[in-house]
Amino acid sequence: MKLIENYNSVADSIPKSVTLVAVSKTKPMDQIQSLYDHGVRDFGENKVQELVEKSESLPTDIQWHAIGHLQRNKVKYIAPFIYLVHAVENIKLLKEIDKRAQQNDRIIDYLFQVHIAKEESKFGWYKAELKAVLDSQEHLQFKNTRLRGFMAMTTNTKDQNQIAAEFKSLQALFEEYKSEQIDTLSMGMSGDYPIAIAHGSNLIRVGSQIFGARN
Ligand SMILES: *Cc1c(COP(=O)(O)O)cnc(C)c1O
């Protein structure tokens, strides 16, 4: 298993200012533990049940990132421990996160997921809708949550120009709204993180490049 080598080769290729989240979905606990023993603390998962099981069995100082589509009725299971929710795509979900955060006496950090891909199937806000929320400060009514930035996924294509254009559109939004608190731009995965970083990403979510292909 070249796990540590793989991790190091990604980590060594990116600026120190970029957070590398190791996307461990479908991968066994012992591999996460090996990376943890190597000093890695940021892990990403997209299934609630898996997040809960892993968080219960692995060291408590791991920073768990919920990176995938999150159903409202499952927020309660991750609210006690989640470090950052990447995919807040509507106000109803945010309201639920706020409610569960309050019950757990926590402030939960989150990102708004933005729809930048051409594909209809990708989740997230359209920019105009999101700007309306940000400008009206509708999200600030949820006192047990804290907006930290934006997240997006690109169209699944080999066309590098298209990917760059999509990242660029989110970079522009981030530049417009960034602040001391809104400081995180989560974009880039195994196949496209160098382009994402070139367009201002400061958090990349890398799975297969570290852990190998998933089944
Ligand atoms: C699976 C996943 C990743 C990691 O994908 P890789 O191509 O394996 O690096 C990143 N972000 C999200 C939202 C994912 O679901």
Side-chain angles (χ1 to χ4, degrees):
M1 189 69 210
K2 296 198 302 175
L3 198 56
I4 305 296
E5 257 175 76
N6 291 347
Y7 180 88
N8 286 344
S9 83
V10 177
D12 293 346
S13 74
I14 63 175
K16 288 264 175 296
S17 55
V18 175
T19 300
L20 171 55
V21 173
V23 176
S24 48
K25 62 191 186 193
T26 78
K27 299 297 177 181
M29 310 257 191
D30 62 322
Q31 295 188 5
I32 300 175
Q33 184 68 51
S34 299
L35 284 169
Y36 178 90
D37 294 340
H38 181 61
V40 180
R41 292 295 178 269
D42 289 283
F43 291 91
E45 295 279 342
N46 67 343
K47 295 246 159 47
V48 165
Q49 196 185 335
E50 203 174 336
L51 259 173
V52 170
E53 284 169 10
K54 287 176 171 172
S55 74
E56 282 170 353
S57 308
L58 288 159
T60 53
D61 61 339
I62 286 181
Q63 299 178 345
W64 292 104
H65 296 249
I67 60 173
H69 176 62
L70 179 59
Q71 284 175 280
R72 248 185 308 152
N73 61 1
K74 296 199 171 154
V75 170
K76 57 178 177 282
Y77 301 116
I78 61 170
F81 66 88
I82 202 71
Y83 176 73
L84 181 64
V85 178
H86 286 235
V88 175
E89 57 192 16
N90 57 56
I91 292 293
K92 276 178 154 179
L93 177 59
L94 183 58
K95 188 177 178 184
E96 177 66 14
I97 294 169
D98 183 61
K99 176 178 155 188
R100 300 301 178 181
Q102 214 172 325
Q103 288 174 352
N104 285 279
D105 205 15
R106 298 187 65 206
I107 306 285
I108 295 182
D109 283 348
Y110 70 95
L111 308 176
F112 278 132
Q113 180 171 4
V114 185
H115 186 291
I116 55 172
K118 285 210 176 121
E119 295 149 338
E120 283 295 323
S121 61
K122 292 270 156 80
F123 296 104
W125 296 85
Y126 285 93
K127 274 176 102 175
E129 280 178 310
L130 180 55
K131 284 174 119 171
V133 169
L134 294 168
D135 293 342
S136 68
Q137 305 198 327
E138 190 182 351
H139 59 298
L140 295 184
Q141 68 187 286
F142 302 109
K143 303 293 183 205
N144 285 68
T145 67
R146 186 165 51 196
L147 176 64
R148 300 303 305 273
F150 308 105
M151 176 271 206
M153 291 170 78
T154 52
T155 303
N156 187 10
T157 173
K158 294 242 180 307
D159 182 348
Q160 308 274 298
N161 291 327
Q162 186 182 339
I163 291 171
E166 292 177 3
F167 283 143
K168 230 177 190 162
S169 83
L170 189 60
Q171 181 181 27
L173 185 84
F174 181 58
E175 290 300 328
E176 193 175 337
Y177 288 95
K178 78 175 179 200
S179 66
E180 207 169 309
Q181 183 187 305
I182 300 176
D183 62 357
T184 305
L185 185 54
S186 168
M187 53 185 202
M189 328 194 333
S190 292
D192 58 15
Y193 70 83
I195 312 176
I197 291 171
H199 292 92
S201 170
N202 58 22
L203 187 159
I204 60 173
R205 311 173 308 269
V206 178
S208 44
Q209 188 109 328
I210 296 171
F211 292 92
R214 288 176 297 273
N215 293 328

